[in-house]
Amino acid sequence: MDEIARENITVARQLSSSGCYSKAFDMYVLSFDKNPQQKNLFEAEFRSVLIKLNEVLATANKIEEIFSNFGRAIDAFPENVHLLNDIGKYLYKFAFYPEAWCHFHRALKIDGTFVNPEKNLNSVKNLLMERWHFRMLNDKIRNEAYHDAIHEIAVPFSDHMLDIGTGTGLLAMYACQCTPRTIVGCDGSGVMTSLAELITQENHRPEIIVINSMSTSLNYHDVGGRRTLVMTEMFDAGLFGEHVLQTLAHAHECLMSNTGKVIPNKAEFFVAPVDCDYLNMKYQLCSTAKNILNIPQDNVHILTFDETYDCEDIHLYQDMKYMAEPRSLLKVNFNDYNDIYETLTRTDPYTLKFKATEDGKINALIGWFNLYLTKNITITTDPRSDKRANAWQQAVFFDNIPKSVKEGEIVDYNFLLNRGKLTLLPNWKSDVIRISPETLRFLNDTEFVNMIKGSIAMTSVYLGQIADISITDIVDLCPFPLFGLLMLKRGAQSLICCAKTDVDREFFERVFEANGVPLSKLTIMVGDEWGQEIFGDEKYHAIFCNIFDLWGDVELHNMEIAQQLKQSHLLQGGLFMPGNVTVVAQLVHSDWLEINNVIHDENVSNFTIGKHVNKYQVSQNFCIDFSHLEYTPLSEPFMLGECNSDIRRHVVDVPVVNTGCLNAILCWYNLELMEHVGEISTNRKNSFIDGTVFLINPNVQLECGNTANIMRSVDPDGSFKIMIDTRAT
């Protein structure tokens, strides 16, 4: 029997090497059936064949065969966490989200240190429930204002109510306290509809009928007759971005009675011109970078991806300077159908004239709104107000040319309500060059850029010991190949680099031409589809890689390419940069992180909501600017080993310096380009790499003077997570 099983393995390997993955898979399964003791020896290669086979089947859209293969594989390896994770990824790919959740969760139950299924489970949760739900539900100011407004307007035993975009059903439950005749909630999300049904039943409100549909797909028959009171909170930072005007126009036409009322009653949007270099550097190439690139007169802006504004917590920007008094852009009465319709169909721009209050410059415009829920109750998102609702951020209209102004000068800005979404009209006549966020952020990281500049002389000396500069070949896979550009200007022979998009490639070529570098020396790979094969058997004198994405996580494709380049394509004695990358962490408590990940029932009028919504908590947050994060440090920063280390578990005993409740571990990186150049931390203003946060659930009470046992767990592909061992704390 053993001999036959071994022969089957040999045949399976031969079939696999010739690309016959389906037959190879069958032979592995047959071998395992005949000799189960062989399974552990050949599990890795069996899984590799299954991955290749399913890739072929996925291309042919043969979904049933993929899951049939996984079923046979799980029969052979019922507790294999890698297979469970792989199944979950395919379920996720084909939109079987609850099933994917179950498989990722099962893998974690078997091995809690496995990183990939935890990241994948977070992705499922983020997809099913967007993070803003947590922030909105935890906003007591908003919640109490809506509660009071509904109680002020509702007519007990009379109203037929409709909660549009009901979410968890909170407003509908407020409405139930007013004893309406009927109450219906609708929501386009199946997840939110299911949650609303669970939550309303849990809170003994069976009279609330929840419909899984966008309100604009319904008529009054679908909701049980004409509605006399409609409630909604379908607003974004720019007020109208969630299509509230279209929604309420339809409600007036198809869902409401002639005397029906809407909460909010009215809304008003305000705009203020500001000077904030820190904010502006997120969207436009700064003068320092343009001078280094020898394009000082160019206007270089971020790719907008059809977004007309961004969203930020403006009150956190300490260098924000208001250059004029805010002005009201528009006001709309949600109880007046004609006003809604005229606002929605208006084609003329709204013009605002601002009078500068001091000398300076205007490089962005910010917007916020007031919701006049009733004549007596108002919600504001004004970042200057201590009583603002924090459920919404502020809008940032970033796509304009900075303008110098003198005190008393009048400046005009024009806005359109374009398809129901506010848009700032361009204030320029000259060309604007577009580049990806990755390229812009990298070049605007002036500290890192200056470190690269400062390393060029030493690099040239170092490389000069192994080859003449004129025959030096460079690979630079940073978001912009600044190192490669500077080395070509020194006389290097060639450069291979990568551009995120075609517009980045065009920008690269423009810059290289502006610096007198022949494009014949340049090879630009575009996008993410290229692999290690592009380098063939070539060897390079210097290789500069970036293994992180903008959001602060390891970019696995970049990590794999970097490792292959270092191992197989670096000339003996050549230079690999950065020379060292260290993971740094810090134990903290942050209320901001808490309200964005955990619902506390005291914030939702003590309705039982948290136990249902908190199933969608995640264990990691990205895109965190630590300079804008409010937190209490519970430890000093500490090192958790090298990022590209082969060590799969790294444990540190961390002294606790402040007593408090640990709910997060901040994580960033120290980069050392080469010896004697020094380190640079990514935990600083304008770093092109954001911070990431590992969330602790449940929270852990730490006492000053004690130690916390912290572990970094790393998968073979380089992805990692940071955990606390509560048994040792």
Side-chain angles (χ1 to χ4, degrees):
M1 185 68 73
D2 289 351
E3 185 64 30
I4 295 173
R6 282 195 294 271
E7 288 177 4
N8 288 338
I9 293 292
T10 301
V11 172
R13 287 172 170 171
Q14 292 170 346
L15 289 167
S16 176
S17 63
S18 61
C20 299
Y21 302 124
S22 180
K23 292 180 180 179
F25 176 78
D26 290 337
M27 291 304 297
Y28 276 111
V29 173
L30 182 62
S31 175
F32 297 156
D33 287 342
K34 292 183 179 299
N35 186 356
Q37 286 74 31
Q38 288 193 121
K39 290 195 294 186
N40 290 335
L41 291 173
F42 302 107
E43 179 265 336
E45 62 186 72
F46 167 68
R47 213 163 48 82
S48 175
V49 167
L50 177 59
I51 290 170
K52 292 173 182 176
L53 171 58
N54 284 338
E55 286 174 352
V56 173
L57 294 173
T59 302
N61 204 34
K62 296 183 177 180
I63 301 173
E64 291 184 5
E65 290 186 37
I66 291 172
F67 292 118
S68 174
N69 292 338
F70 273 129
R72 294 171 66 193
I74 283 293
D75 286 342
F77 299 92
E79 297 294 303
N80 188 288
V81 293
H82 298 284
L83 279 173
L84 289 169
N85 185 51
D86 290 343
I87 295 171
K89 287 193 289 187
Y90 270 97
L91 288 165
Y92 181 89
K93 178 177 181 178
F94 293 114
F96 298 107
Y97 302 122
E99 295 83 359
W101 180 318
C102 290
H103 281 79
F104 296 141
H105 183 72
R106 184 178 166 193
L108 285 171
K109 292 288 284 185
I110 296 171
D111 182 1
T113 65
F114 192 11
V115 180
N116 263 271
E118 186 162 319
K119 286 182 174 292
N120 293 331
L121 181 57
N122 286 339
S123 296
V124 174
K125 291 179 177 181
N126 283 327
L127 179 74
L128 295 178
M129 178 176 284
E130 294 173 287
R131 294 299 98 190
W132 56 261
H133 285 286
F134 289 87
R135 175 175 177 146
M136 182 167 281
L137 286 166
N138 277 322
D139 188 346
K140 288 185 74 171
I141 290 176
R142 181 203 76 114
N143 297 342
E144 291 174 0
Y146 264 99
H147 170 275
D148 294 346
I150 292 168
H151 280 249
E152 178 183 323
I153 297 299
V155 180
F157 309 106
S158 176
D159 271 323
H160 297 275
M161 298 182 176
L162 175 64
D163 179 11
I164 296 178
T166 193
T168 58
L170 178 62
L171 300 193
M173 290 192 292
Y174 286 156
C176 269
Q177 296 172 338
C178 302
T179 58
R181 292 183 66 181
T182 59
I183 172 72
V184 175
C186 65
D187 201 290
S189 163
V191 171
M192 298 312 298
T193 301
S194 298
L195 271 175
E197 290 173 340
L198 280 172
I199 289 167
T200 53
Q201 293 294 321
E202 172 88 18
N203 289 278
H204 311 294
R205 294 298 182 186
E207 63 269 38
I208 299 174
I209 299 170
V210 183
I211 301 173
N212 181 202
S213 178
M214 302 288 286
S215 68
T216 49
S217 299
L218 303 173
N219 60 44
Y220 69 91
H221 296 294
D222 300 317
V223 297
R226 296 280 182 181
R227 302 286 97 182
T228 60
L229 181 59
V230 169
M231 305 156 288
T232 190
E233 50 188 0
M234 292 178 57
F235 308 103
D236 72 335
L239 185 59
F240 304 114
E242 295 294 322
H243 308 296
V244 68
L245 290 176
Q246 294 92 326
T247 297
L248 290 178
H250 174 269
H252 277 283
E253 293 167 354
C254 303
L255 302 173
M256 293 172 59
S257 69
N258 292 334
T259 58
K261 297 179 181 179
V262 177
I263 299 175
N265 178 33
K266 298 178 181 179
E268 187 172 13
F269 194 79
F270 300 87
V271 175
V274 299
D275 175 13
C276 181
D277 289 336
Y278 191 16
L279 185 64
N280 190 56
M281 286 177 72
K282 295 182 66 174
Y283 310 112
Q284 300 182 21
L285 195 61
C286 67
S287 58
T288 300
K290 289 192 285 187
N291 288 331
I292 290 171
L293 299 179
N294 200 27
I295 52 170
Q297 303 305 317
D298 285 355
N299 294 307
V300 184
H301 292 195
I302 196 170
L303 274 170
T304 61
F305 301 106
D306 294 326
E307 293 296 331
T308 62
Y309 50 81
D310 202 0
C311 307
E312 293 287 341
D313 285 302
I314 292 300
H315 70 280
L316 297 175
Y317 284 80
Q318 300 301 314
D319 67 335
M320 180 75 60
K321 184 186 294 184
Y322 292 82
M323 295 301 297
E325 289 298 316
R327 296 286 309 279
S328 173
L329 181 68
L330 76 161
K331 191 172 186 178
V332 59
N333 185 344
F334 293 144
N335 279 292
D336 184 341
Y337 171 75
N338 291 328
D339 195 15
I340 294 172
Y341 183 79
E342 288 173 8
T343 304
L344 190 56
T345 58
R346 174 174 171 146
T347 57
D348 293 334
Y350 295 90
T351 299
L352 286 182
K353 295 181 180 294
F354 294 100
K355 185 177 181 180
T357 53
E358 59 180 285
D359 294 355
K361 67 178 182 297
I362 296 170
N363 55 21
L365 290 97
I366 60 172
W368 62 87
F369 58 83
N370 287 354
L371 295 178
Y372 305 107
L373 300 183
T374 70
K375 291 180 179 179
N376 305 308
I377 301 171
T378 299
I379 291 175
T380 185
T381 63
D382 186 340
R384 304 166 303 167
S385 172
D386 293 334
K387 297 180 180 180
R388 69 181 173 274
N390 284 310
W392 298 278
Q393 296 176 293
Q394 289 73 45
V396 179
F397 299 93
F398 55 85
D399 202 21
N400 64 99
I401 302 294
K403 178 178 178 60
S404 297
V405 294
K406 295 290 186 181
E407 182 180 355
E409 183 179 347
I410 304 296
V411 289
D412 296 352
Y413 291 95
N414 296 301
F415 292 81
L416 276 182
L417 196 56
N418 189 10
R419 297 186 300 277
K421 189 168 186 177
L422 285 170
T423 304
L424 174 65
L425 294 180
N427 68 334
W428 63 80
K429 295 180 181 178
S430 57
D431 290 337
V432 167
I433 299 167
R434 301 288 181 182
I435 57 176
S436 69
E438 289 81 1
T439 300
L440 182 91
R441 287 272 299 273
F442 181 83
L443 289 170
N444 273 349
D445 187 343
T446 53
E447 286 187 56
F448 193 53
V449 162
N450 285 331
M451 176 172 274
I452 293 172
K453 279 183 61 185
S455 72
I456 295 300
M458 187 179 296
T459 300
S460 299
V461 171
Y462 179 88
L463 294 178
Q465 299 173 22
I466 61 173
D468 186 90
I469 190 69
S470 63
I471 61 169
T472 302
D473 297 314
I474 311 290
V475 175
D476 185 347
L477 302 182
C478 289
F480 181 86
L482 179 65
F483 172 78
L485 168 65
L486 297 176
M487 290 302 296
L488 288 181
K489 290 180 72 173
R490 287 251 176 169
Q493 177 172 254
S494 70
L495 168 66
I496 294 180
C497 59
C498 60
K500 188 73 175 177
T501 65
D502 281 322
V503 294
D504 286 336
R505 176 186 54 78
E506 294 171 5
F507 177 69
F508 288 10
E509 292 174 350
R510 181 186 184 94
V511 171
F512 276 77
E513 288 177 335
N515 284 272
V517 176
L519 296 184
S520 58
K521 291 189 169 189
L522 192 62
T523 300
I524 305 176
M525 301 171 294
V526 181
D528 300 315
E529 298 304 315
W530 53 272
Q532 186 264 346
E533 67 279 356
I534 197 85
F535 302 100
D537 297 322
E538 297 297 319
K539 301 281 187 178
Y540 300 91
H541 299 83
I543 299 172
F544 197 151
C545 291
N546 168 52
I547 62 171
F548 302 107
D549 58 29
L550 288 184
W551 304 277
D553 199 14
V554 173
E555 212 293 322
L556 298 181
H557 173 74
N558 291 2
M559 170 75 91
E560 181 183 8
I561 292 294
Q563 290 172 340
Q564 292 171 340
L565 284 172
K566 187 175 183 180
Q567 293 165 6
S568 305
H569 296 276
L570 187 65
L571 278 167
Q572 185 173 0
L575 182 64
F576 186 87
M577 301 168 73
N580 191 40
V581 180
T582 307
V583 180
V584 188
Q586 186 173 22
L587 310 182
V588 305
H589 175 83
S590 170
D591 290 333
W592 188 90
L593 292 171
E594 186 84 0
I595 67 171
N596 281 275
N597 198 49
V598 182
I599 301 301
H600 296 283
D601 286 343
E602 60 265 29
N603 292 330
V604 285
S605 307
N606 291 313
F607 286 118
T608 303
I609 293 180
K611 81 175 200 179
H612 298 288
V613 177
N614 289 340
K615 294 174 183 177
Y616 295 87
Q617 290 180 57
V618 293
S619 61
Q620 190 173 8
N621 271 357
F622 301 96
C623 303
I624 307 295
D625 183 342
F626 294 148
S627 65
H628 287 159
L629 179 66
E630 298 170 333
Y631 65 88
T632 301
L634 303 180
S635 77
E636 298 295 336
F638 56 93
M639 304 294 180
L640 269 172
E642 295 182 9
C643 194
N644 54 358
S645 169
D646 292 331
I647 299 173
R648 296 294 169 230
R649 305 285 183 272
H650 189 91
V651 181
V652 175
D653 290 330
V654 179
V656 178
V657 298
N658 284 311
T659 296
C661 187
L662 173 68
N663 69 352
I665 303 175
L666 310 186
C667 176
W668 65 92
Y669 309 98
N670 285 347
L671 310 178
E672 183 182 41
L673 291 189
M674 54 190 296
E675 283 189 75
H676 310 302
V677 173
E679 281 188 336
I680 188 168
S681 170
T682 62
N683 182 7
R684 54 191 165 75
K685 289 179 65 173
N686 294 322
S687 170
F688 80 98
I689 301 171
D690 282 331
T692 185
V693 174
F694 294 89
L695 300 158
I696 306 301
N697 179 46
N699 298 172
V700 177
Q701 184 65 30
L702 299 181
E703 299 295 329
C704 182
N706 291 347
T707 60
N709 191 241
I710 305 299
M711 179 175 72
R712 181 168 70 102
S713 180
V714 187
D715 280 358
D717 62 8
S719 56
F720 70 89
K721 63 181 177 181
I722 302 174
M723 303 172 288
I724 180 169
D725 184 353
T726 54
R727 296 169 300 177
T729 300

